[in-house]
Amino acid sequence: MPAGYVQLDAIDLALAALLILINGALSLTFHLGLERTLLIATVRMVVQLALIGLVLTFIFAQTSPLWTLALALVMIGFAGREVLARQTRRFRGWLAYGLGTGTLLLVGMLSVIYGVGLVIGPEPWTSPRFILPVLGMILGNTLTGISLGLETLTTTAVRERAGIEAQIALGANRAEALSGTVRQALKTGMMPIINAMAASGIVALPGMMTGQIIAGVDPLDATQYQILIMFLIAGATALGTFLAVLGGARLLTDERHRLRLDRLQKTGS
Amino acid sequence: MAKDGHTPRLRLDELTVHGLAPVSFAVTAGACVAVTGPSGSGKTVLLRAVADLDPAEGRVYLDGAERTAMSGPAWRRRIRFSAAEPGWWADTPGSHLPGRESVASAVAALGLTTAQRDQALTELSTGERQRFALIRALADKPSVLLLDEPTGALDAQATERAEHLLRSFLDGGGTVLFTSHDHEQVGRLASRCLAIRDGAVREEAV
């Protein structure tokens, strides 16, 4: 434990929990009807965080990297589900889940191997204390890029169907016919991380950096870590968005270079 | 590719599209076939299937060569579908057309101006856009044109100009399949007529 680190106890948390009553009071006063949702969200937050704390404590105590791998796969699975949940139009069948999750798996693994294994280089490099937080930050941001990219791809393809099919009817191949749609999707997918980089340090103090500072790390060292993580996230988001959007564009067309919007289905949201 | 007198320009062999009984027929070069039938009867679906824009069972031949022998884009450069409501992907009609000189005569023949060619599509009328779509479809000389209500948004004079342009395409050996709700137009243009009724396609007298 670094010098100056303050351990929290149950009373501290209970005092902080009082603040959630402001939310409840607001909902009651203005008849927002949010009490139930608020209660569920609060309980979920506490239970989920407590659980992950226990799981991480358990995994840190293990010597086998297989436990780390197992949790990493679970995280990727949930991230893939989140990508799916954010789509208004999904691909039919297993591809709906497979495209986002497959991309996250590949990008997550590559980023961890590069970022933790090669760049940070802890001893041993499979140390869960490094791999899991880094993977978490990468997944959280990459899934945003992938979701936005795929959502833009499918909605633009549906909206611009007449123009895309006009190009196809004139003899364009699928890459030519979808180039505008793909460019729009890539741009939308990469915008949040570019904005986040531009705003970080001025508008927002990133979570990892602030966490390290509270834990007693020198701010300059914490900043270095944050910069490294930002680069990792930016690279992973770009790669993930690129792979998912190009994969999606391929699924939206077939080997005869036809536009196949019948492969999409609209979801309730 | 065989191009003797016995090989039809376009031949459909049991082409099966959703909602229609299998369709078989052959068209020679220079022929103009009208596809008629009530709205929703499947005229557009049939033309789209011939252009390979939607998956369909059955075989289609161009000059004796089956379409599976060539790529989708190569097929559609020769068998050209033009939608009733043409789609656009850039701002002006001109940016959808090849070189300015190559289409200049068609632009004039349809009563359009070169200024309109560079005007925003949103500023043009439906009829003007439809005429530019026809020019676009004809521009690189396809073998077969599949036109979905090509003059649906045109007045009498513009329709006459469009029909004149199509006739010169036919005279040059082009083949046209078009849908129309206008019986007089069918009589003026078509040499044959395919009527769709209750999911069946039958040849009728023009």
Side-chain angles (χ1 to χ4, degrees), chain B residues 68-143:
Chain B
T68 46
M70 56 186 102
S71 74
W75 177 262
R76 290 184 281 265
R77 275 192 286 274
R78 302 197 54 197
I79 313 258
R80 171 73 42 80
F81 172 78
S82 185
E85 283 178 35
W88 308 93
W89 61 92
D91 295 335
T92 65
S95 35
H96 296 81
L97 300 169
R100 307 175 78 81
E101 282 72 33
S102 59
V103 295
S105 64
V107 169
L110 287 181
L112 298 161
T113 65
T114 45
Q116 286 171 320
R117 191 180 51 194
D118 301 317
Q119 217 172 326
L121 279 157
T122 46
E123 292 170 5
L124 297 174
S125 73
T126 316
E128 285 159 350
R129 287 199 297 269
Q130 190 162 38
R131 278 177 278 169
F132 274 115
L134 186 61
I135 295 170
R136 180 176 70 179
L138 278 162
D140 55 354
K141 302 191 172 46
S143 304

Side-chain angles (χ1 to χ4, degrees), chain A residues 213-263:
Chain A
I213 291 174
I214 288 173
V217 174
D218 181 84
L220 281 179
D221 289 337
T223 314
Q224 283 191 7
Y225 254 94
Q226 189 62 51
I227 291 171
L228 183 142
I229 290 296
M230 281 304 223
F231 281 139
L232 269 184
I233 290 174
T237 304
L239 185 63
T241 309
F242 172 78
L243 290 175
V245 167
L246 256 65
R250 228 180 147 69
L251 293 175
L252 276 181
T253 51
D254 64 17
E255 74 294 341
R256 299 289 297 167
H257 299 264
R258 297 179 283 229
L259 184 65
R260 296 297 298 275
L261 295 180
D262 56 311
R263 289 179 179 166

Side-chain angles (χ1 to χ4, degrees), chain B:
Chain B
M1 241 170 268
K3 233 180 176 177
D4 56 74
H6 305 291
T7 311
R9 168 52 55 84
L10 177 72
R11 185 159 73 87
L12 275 58
D13 181 14
E14 301 275 298
L15 184 70
T16 311
V17 296
H18 184 73
L20 288 185
V23 184
S24 299
F25 69 89
V27 195
T28 53
C32 181
V33 182
V35 181
T36 63
S39 296
S41 57
K43 304 186 292 291
T44 305
V45 190
L46 178 63
L47 291 193
R48 284 177 58 92
V50 174
D52 204 11
L53 284 170
D54 295 315
E57 297 288 313
R59 288 157 300 279
V60 186
Y61 302 85
L62 177 71
D63 296 327
E66 195 178 351
R67 73 171 165 200
T68 46
M70 56 186 102
S71 74
W75 177 262
R76 290 184 281 265
R77 275 192 286 274
R78 302 197 54 197
I79 313 258
R80 171 73 42 80
F81 172 78
S82 185
E85 283 178 35
W88 308 93
W89 61 92
D91 295 335
T92 65
S95 35
H96 296 81
L97 300 169
R100 307 175 78 81
E101 282 72 33
S102 59
V103 295
S105 64
V107 169
L110 287 181
L112 298 161
T113 65
T114 45
Q116 286 171 320
R117 191 180 51 194
D118 301 317
Q119 217 172 326
L121 279 157
T122 46
E123 292 170 5
L124 297 174
S125 73
T126 316
E128 285 159 350
R129 287 199 297 269
Q130 190 162 38
R131 278 177 278 169
F132 274 115
L134 186 61
I135 295 170
R136 180 176 70 179
L138 278 162
D140 55 354
K141 302 191 172 46
S143 304
V144 179
L145 272 183
L146 308 166
L147 304 173
D148 197 2
E149 299 189 36
T151 60
L154 303 188
D155 61 25
Q157 198 199 359
T159 300
E160 199 185 315
R161 286 170 177 272
E163 289 177 4
H164 186 75
L165 192 67
L166 287 178
R167 257 184 228 106
S168 53
F169 174 71
L170 293 164
D171 292 342
T175 299
V176 173
L177 273 74
F178 73 102
T179 71
S180 181
H181 289 290
D182 180 354
H183 284 291
E184 289 177 16
Q185 180 177 51
V186 171
R188 285 195 302 270
L189 270 183
S191 46
R192 296 169 63 189
C193 179
L194 293 171
I196 305 182
R197 296 262 183 289
D198 305 319
V201 183
R202 282 188 208 89
E203 178 125 23
E204 284 185 357
V206 175

Side-chain angles (χ1 to χ4, degrees), chain A residues 114-139:
Chain A
Y114 184 77
V116 180
L118 224 72
V119 182
I120 303 177
E123 201 53 54
W125 79 270
T126 52
S127 162
R129 194 161 68 84
F130 286 88
I131 283 186
L132 295 175
V134 168
L135 179 66
M137 287 184 280
I138 283 167
L139 288 179

